[in-house]
Amino acid sequence: MRWFSHRAAVAAASVLSIATQSQVAVAESVNGNAVVANGTSFALNGDNVSYIFHIDPATGDLISDHFGGSVTGAIPAAAEPIVNGWVGATGRIRREFPDQGRGDFRIPAVRIRQSAGYTISDLQYQSHTIVQGKPGLPGLPATFGSEEDVTTLVVHLHDNYSSVAADLSYSIFPKSDAIVRSVNITNLGEGNVTIDALSSLSVDLPYEELEMIYLRGDWAREAHRERRKVEYGVQGFGSSTGFSSHLHNPFLSLVHPSTTESQGEAWGFSLVYTGSFAVNVEKGSQGFTRALLGFNPSQLSWTLRPGETLTSPECVSVYSATGIGGMSRSLHRLYRKHLIKSKFATSDRPALLNSWEGLDASINASNVYQLAEESAKLGIKLLVMDDGWFGNEYPRDDDTAGLGDWQVNQAKFPDGLGTLVNNVTALKAANTSTPLRFGIWVEPEMVNPNSTLYHEHPDWALHAGDYPRSLSRNQLVLNVALSEVQEFIIDSMTRLLKSADISYVKWDHNRGIHEMPSPSTDHAYMLGLYHVFETLTSRFPDVLWEGCASGGGRFDPGVLQYFPQIWTSDDTDGGERVAIQMGTSLAYPPSAMGAHISAVPNQQSSRSVPVEFRGHVAMMGGSFGLELNPEELHEDEKAALPALIQLAEKVNPIVLEGDMWRLALPEETNWPAVLFISADGTKAVLFAFQMRANIDNSSPWVRLEGLDAKAEYRVDGGSVYTGQTLMSMGLQFVFEGDYQSRVVMLDRV
Ligand code: DGJ
């Protein structure tokens, strides 16, 4: 039996340190009972979650006890495993940081190759430290919070045979029911060691049936939700593309087979990283489920010289007893408040018009200005000039040339960029005195061989000796691990942003990694990229930055640290977007999604969807906009746009700050529905959709969730119903035809 004290904080100092497990008999409680340690046992407690582990006195190993609903007082010890086969005791227990080579045959969280060639480790508890607040991670994006928001426990492990130390850092955000873990590996020996594998999080859950939920996709069909049984053996996914990728997202959820959107237990794991990654779920022979999220071992091979440290990215874990929806809302709240650094995280996202689908790369000063004039007439507040504006010796007329040469093309913009921006920002959005803002597209990590940059610096592109450099979209990737490349990007973007009144940047990235000088370039690139992001976003805090990678190829928490929004997909078909945006919302707040109305037939799917449906879907994203040339629209579509823009502006604050309730999923019904409830609970907006015409049948009621049962709500300025009624009975809509939709406002009376 172990015991966790729930007395109020006893620590006057903000940093407590315990040298050995035997020294401390009295439990320490820090920040209320956010972290409770008694020297051999540790508990992290949130409002509705407890995460508990202890030190095995015989081996110094860290043993997991519990990750789930709140635990109070004494906890029962796990039964001693009966060792009766050739899987030894270490293969029959739940371990916090499984190392390699000593009888646990499941996937290890760390594999260290010593100079002698061994890959064995024996990492034993040495001491621990508790810190109020959360220290940053050197060079990596990380969640943050004040001393009241978060408490951090660092457990120091040491391998006496190899002189390698590992620090496991656990931070608890009690209000978000979130525990964040990262790992430091330090070489304290005299020879080099190589880290071949390192997971930020490894969690062993007890013997029970579980299912895994994750996001898969490809270009223009990102974030499709998959759910399947966790089978005996290893199952997993990841990315080896050098970025988080369209193919899989660095996110995993584990649930019980009976868990639904609104009921049951759900664990969510989200890796705060943008590079290649690996997620593995292993159900071992004893029935425990181990989940690991971290670096992709095929692209790590990280050498540590004496005294050096490798810090893993951090992994966020949340627990929900209120289904998959509860898990998502915890992640959303955490990310809005404790991950996204931009001042625009939950505010001021102007309705925009992006030139890409309307004009392609065929842009010049006159057609961009015309687009701006048309935009202003519709009530748009920000004009974004996409690809095609740069390159002189190698003009960017299409995707074969120009990347790397970040100077405005003088033939297309004879009076320069500054003049165009001044002209655009002199326009006023219809019926307002709001000046139009100007935004610009860049893709700074890339180079076309047809560019001045490549001719001057061919060595800056990724390459491995004389191996041919594989082109994709006619471009190569700059080796952002090199400091001269980082400086080039920082300098050229700084020059661009100082050259005109630019208030928005769309930062694109349109291909995967290719020939690298070594596997470790993958992570070195990320450290370089984060340095570039950090420098530029702190230098230009008033710029609204948008991430993009051929759509949502880099929709991850690493990017969100610096950019408050990401272009969700190049698929702008409203019908397809319902699933893409609802899938993305599994892990990421809708505030972070860019979503636009484009023209029909849609450029990706050739489908024609009514403009209202396209608009309603787009306004579920925090950054609403248009991606079309208004001059080419049908008159009735054009006429519908001002009202849609106004409605988007009305619902935007609720989408940016509020909680999202996925009421009905597109993969399960013809009538997907989503409810957003404002942070203070006084307003809500319901989106109800019909995907396909439902001939001569009735339509289902949409039951609302998350309202205050006792409160009353006025629906669309008319009838008043109680929250209880709206949640028990719901609202019903009559739809006629394919792709129909309704947006309904609720005001608490
Ligand atoms: C890919 C992006 O996802 C598009 O929105 C557009 O910016 C193009 N690149 C431009 O090349």
Side-chain angles (χ1 to χ4, degrees), residues 356 386-387 441 473 506 508 510 548 550-551 567 570 627:
W356 179 243
D386 209 281
D387 199 353
W441 176 97
R473 210 195 191 207
K506 175 179 175 186
D508 208 344
N510 284 304
C548 175
S550 304
W567 179 228
D570 273 351
E627 178 126 358

Side-chain angles (χ1 to χ4, degrees), residues 312-335:
S312 80
E314 63 181 32
C315 184
V316 173
S317 308
V318 294
Y319 166 77
S320 153
T322 54
I324 300 159
M327 172 204 73
S328 295
R329 284 185 292 281
S330 289
L331 281 171
H332 296 174
R333 281 190 216 129
L334 184 81
Y335 284 175

Side-chain angles (χ1 to χ4, degrees), residues 40 104 193 391-392 448 499 549 618 678:
T40 55
D104 182 350
V193 300
N392 282 297
N448 284 116
S499 73
S678 66

Side-chain angles (χ1 to χ4, degrees), residues 133-137 140-146 149-150 152 169-173 176 178-182 270-272 313-318 330-331 333-341 557-558 560-561:
K134 182 170 183 285
L137 290 189
L140 287 166
T143 49
F144 55 83
S146 69
D149 295 327
V150 54
T152 301
S169 170
Y170 297 84
S171 298
I172 170 99
F173 288 85
S176 310
I179 292 129
V180 181
R181 194 177 96 171
S182 66
S270 175
L271 188 68
V272 184
E314 63 181 32
C315 184
V316 173
S317 308
V318 294
S330 289
L331 281 171
R333 281 190 216 129
L334 184 81
Y335 284 175
R336 283 195 303 258
K337 228 176 139 191
H338 298 293
L339 175 72
I340 302 172
K341 281 188 180 166
L560 284 180
Q561 169 107 98

